[in-house]
């Protein structure tokens, strides 16, 4: 069985010492770096924008897993590509023409992920899942780090695993929100491939050790 992939979420980093945190991520067993971009419209918060992320991208040696919590994410495909992002995740709830956006992300040379809010059922992906490189299930309502994991997500992971296997899709299952060693273990057992972890990693006494422990849940 392949090990679970770990994508630490930059939102919980210490922005006063951002460089130190990024260098620790580089030294760790993290597979990717998860980057949350918010617009204050799609979610009730604003995080960081492209001038800051340009610096992050220069320092970070891990592939960038970009999660856009913004309306009309297609407007920023070129900016995300310019960062050198590996994966661009857009919200199902933010895209009227989701199929077109997914094709545009791929045409730009990035992997395409679609994110579902906690109240959005997995079944809405039936006609697009074969085109996706990843599905990101939110296990909290997006906008903030440090929230409590919504247990119903475990059922969604199992349901998504069934949908992916039945269609022959190669999409990875990523879960974001309230992930720690305990919820992470249940998620891996339910079939998750990638865990995002913000507070669990960046607020841990030893970030590198915590990433190691998450990495070895499976
Ligand atoms: C929430 C973000 C998450 C957040 C996770 O809207 O999408 O990536 O940083 O933080 P934790 O792991 O602390 O819940
Ligand atoms: Zn996120």
């Amino acid at each position: 069985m392949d090990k679970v992939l770990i994508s630490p979420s930059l939102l919980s980093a210490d922005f006063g010492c951002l460089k130190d945190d990024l260098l620790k991520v580089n030294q760790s067993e993290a597979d990717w770096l998860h980057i949350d971009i918010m617009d204050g419209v799609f979610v009730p918060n604003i995080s960081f924008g492209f001038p800051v992320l340009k610096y992050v991208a220069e320092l970070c040696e891990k592939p960038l897993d970009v999660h856009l919590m913004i309306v009309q994410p297609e407007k920023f495909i070129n900016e995300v590509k310019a960062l050198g992002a590996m994966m661009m995740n857009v919200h199902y709830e933010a895209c009227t023409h989701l199929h077109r956006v997914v094709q545009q992300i791929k045409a730009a040379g990035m992997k395409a992920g679609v994110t579902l809010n906690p109240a959005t059922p997995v079944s809405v992906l039936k006609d697009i899942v074969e085109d996706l490189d990843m599905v990101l299930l939110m296990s909290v309502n997006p906008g903030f780090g440090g929230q409590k994991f919504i247990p119903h997500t475990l059922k969604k992971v199992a349901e998504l695993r069934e949908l992916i296997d039945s269609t022959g899709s190669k999409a990875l299952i990523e879960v974001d929100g309230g992930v720690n060693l305990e919820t992470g273990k249940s998620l891996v057992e339910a079939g998750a491939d990638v865990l995002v972890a913000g507070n669990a990693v960046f607020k841990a006494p030893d970030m590198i050790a915590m990433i190691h422990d998450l990495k070895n849940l499976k």
Side-chain angles (χ1 to χ4, degrees):
M1 226 188 329
D2 291 339
K3 279 195 175 176
V4 67
L5 302 179
I6 305 300
S7 194
S9 177
L10 184 70
L11 189 63
S12 299
D14 179 349
F15 294 111
C17 303
L18 186 54
K19 188 170 180 177
D20 295 349
D21 274 2
L22 286 170
L23 295 179
K24 279 189 201 155
V25 171
N26 285 348
Q27 283 169 36
S28 76
E29 291 168 65
D31 295 279
W32 304 340
L33 179 69
H34 186 82
I35 293 184
D36 292 301
I37 303 182
M38 306 179 189
D39 64 357
V41 177
F42 182 72
V43 288
N45 196 11
I46 294 176
S47 54
F48 26 70
F50 292 102
V52 174
L53 292 175
K54 186 173 174 290
Y55 175 81
V56 170
E58 274 166 24
L59 278 174
C60 184
E61 292 167 1
K62 307 284 180 177
L64 304 181
D65 167 33
V66 179
H67 174 197
L68 291 154
M69 282 159 273
I70 65 173
V71 297
Q72 300 183 311
E74 65 277 7
K75 284 188 178 170
F76 291 95
I77 291 174
N78 291 340
E79 281 81 355
V80 176
K81 174 67 185 168
L83 285 178
M86 173 270 303
M87 177 78 73
M88 175 164 167
N89 297 286
V90 296
H91 268 261
Y92 168 84
E93 302 85 0
C95 298
T96 308
H97 300 288
L98 183 63
H99 183 273
R100 177 184 290 142
V101 180
V102 165
Q103 304 311 323
Q104 287 171 335
I105 293 170
K106 289 176 158 184
M110 293 180 285
K111 291 189 186 298
V114 168
T115 309
L116 299 183
N117 277 336
T120 305
V122 162
S123 57
V124 299
L125 296 177
K126 186 169 109 22
D127 292 317
I128 188 94
V129 74
E130 286 173 76
D131 292 329
L132 303 181
D133 296 300
M134 193 162 80
V135 176
L136 169 51
L137 295 178
M138 290 309 302
S139 40
V140 297
N141 287 292
F144 304 92
Q147 300 183 81
K148 204 171 167 301
F149 179 79
I150 299 171
H152 178 68
T153 315
L154 293 169
K155 287 189 193 144
K156 289 177 77 172
V157 172
E159 210 182 313
L160 179 56
R161 175 54 65 209
E162 252 184 65
L163 177 67
I164 287 173
D165 291 348
S166 71
T167 56
S169 162
K170 301 264 187 298
L172 294 173
I173 302 177
E174 182 177 54
V175 183
D176 183 7
V179 173
N180 53 33
L181 288 173
E182 193 190 348
T183 55
K185 189 169 192 308
S186 311
L187 285 166
V188 165
E189 284 166 6
D193 302 300
V194 190
L195 300 178
V196 176
N199 269 32
V201 165
F202 287 98
K203 309 289 188 226
D206 184 341
M207 187 196 301
I208 294 177
M210 177 53 73
I211 292 171
H212 173 82
D213 291 349
L214 286 165
K215 183 77 196 160
N216 285 285
L217 283 173
K218 179 165 114 179

